[in-house]
Amino acid sequence: VEGPVPAILMFHGCGGLRQVQEDYARSALDAGYGVLIIGSNAARGIDRFAAMSQVCTGLRLWGRERAADVFAGLVLAREDERIVASRLGLIGWSHGGWTVLEALDDAGRNAAPEALDIGSNDAPDLSGVRTAMTLYPYCGFPMRSDGREYAQEIPLHAILAANDLIAPPADCERLFERSEAAGHAVDFQTWPDQTHAFDEPNPPPDPRIVYDADAAAQARSRWIAILDRELAPG
């Protein structure tokens, strides 16, 4: 595909980069989109053990801190001549979904994340972002966002898992219902019989996570359809 092209910024779960990001990236590239996979853990010197024992347990790197990575990643995307800076999308899984939601809230409140090093008079910038998607995001304590102040111009999509014992869907359903009541249309679905990380083909040995290849393919197809609709020219 000849550039420049629209691009997607991807935000992994608490454990770091996994095959699920590679699978979605491959689908996006095949569909003609650029991809930036933001490695939040590696950039902070957090290895797999530290990720599982500290990030996944909430001891460090909450979503409100990691939201700075969304704004920093967008700067990189806008500076890349291969990318159309006015046609960008965000997608986050689990902890990465929490991160995306916090970034949307920051932009809606016109308040930069505390971890973002910008001038005191500068606002968090989501310009060019035309769509955002989260998969089984974490929406419980200590999430700061209450869903009411998301950046109104960015359509938000989410896939929740009915049997999610790690990021219970009821927390996100309440969050999104508050967002809708505040006038922000949120396209969210709670998929029956699915667990947390149902689209991860190489999950950790956790009985709460069951991979479903068919559901994973369906989620990727739905995501590409959203990109084709919302990142289209014009």
Side-chain angles (χ1 to χ4, degrees):
V1 178
E2 293 186 6
V5 296
I8 318 303
L9 281 71
M10 296 185 169
F11 299 88
H12 56 71
C14 65
L17 296 175
R18 306 293 292 173
Q19 185 176 334
V20 63
Q21 281 80 48
E22 296 179 9
D23 291 345
Y24 278 72
R26 190 176 304 110
S27 294
L29 292 170
D30 289 345
Y33 298 97
V35 175
L36 287 80
I37 303 178
I38 308 300
S40 296
N41 290 355
R44 293 175 171 84
I46 300 173
D47 62 16
R48 177 69 173 169
F49 176 79
M52 298 301 293
S53 61
Q54 298 173 20
V55 181
C56 293
T57 58
L59 294 177
R60 65 186 296 192
L61 194 59
W62 289 358
R64 69 177 70 172
E65 174 186 352
R66 193 180 168 198
D69 294 16
V70 176
F71 299 102
L74 287 169
V75 171
L76 296 177
R78 297 185 191 111
E79 292 176 346
D80 194 320
E81 295 181 353
R82 298 169 296 179
I83 291 173
V84 180
S86 61
R87 295 164 61 193
L88 304 171
L90 309 174
I91 182 171
W93 295 259
S94 189
H95 191 287
W98 174 15
T99 297
V100 168
L101 294 176
E102 295 279 26
L104 292 174
D105 182 78
D106 287 330
R109 292 184 299 106
N110 199 34
E114 296 173 3
L116 190 64
D117 185 14
I118 61 175
S120 59
N121 295 323
D122 294 331
D125 185 7
L126 291 183
S127 62
V129 176
R130 294 193 178 189
T131 189
M133 185 170 184
T134 64
L135 292 104
Y136 39 85
Y138 181 76
C139 298
F141 177 84
M143 172 179 266
R144 176 177 54 194
S145 170
D146 68 1
R148 294 184 175 94
E149 297 185 275
Y150 291 150
Q152 293 289 321
E153 70 278 9
I154 301 174
L156 174 59
H157 308 270
I159 296 176
L160 311 177
N163 294 342
D164 195 333
L165 300 179
I166 297 174
D171 291 335
C172 290
E173 290 169 348
R174 287 191 292 268
L175 185 80
F176 295 149
E177 287 166 0
R178 287 195 297 269
S179 185
E180 289 180 326
H184 189 115
V186 181
D187 165 32
F188 74 94
Q189 301 176 356
T190 303
W191 287 12
D193 305 320
Q194 299 302 325
T195 70
H196 195 77
F198 65 86
D199 52 352
E200 170 55 69
N202 186 29
D206 188 329
R208 298 172 297 175
I209 298 176
V210 179
Y211 174 57
D212 186 322
D214 291 339
Q218 182 180 350
R220 290 194 301 272
S221 294
R222 179 169 182 262
W223 177 60
I224 294 298
I226 290 169
L227 297 182
D228 288 345
R229 181 175 70 248
E230 294 178 354
L231 294 191

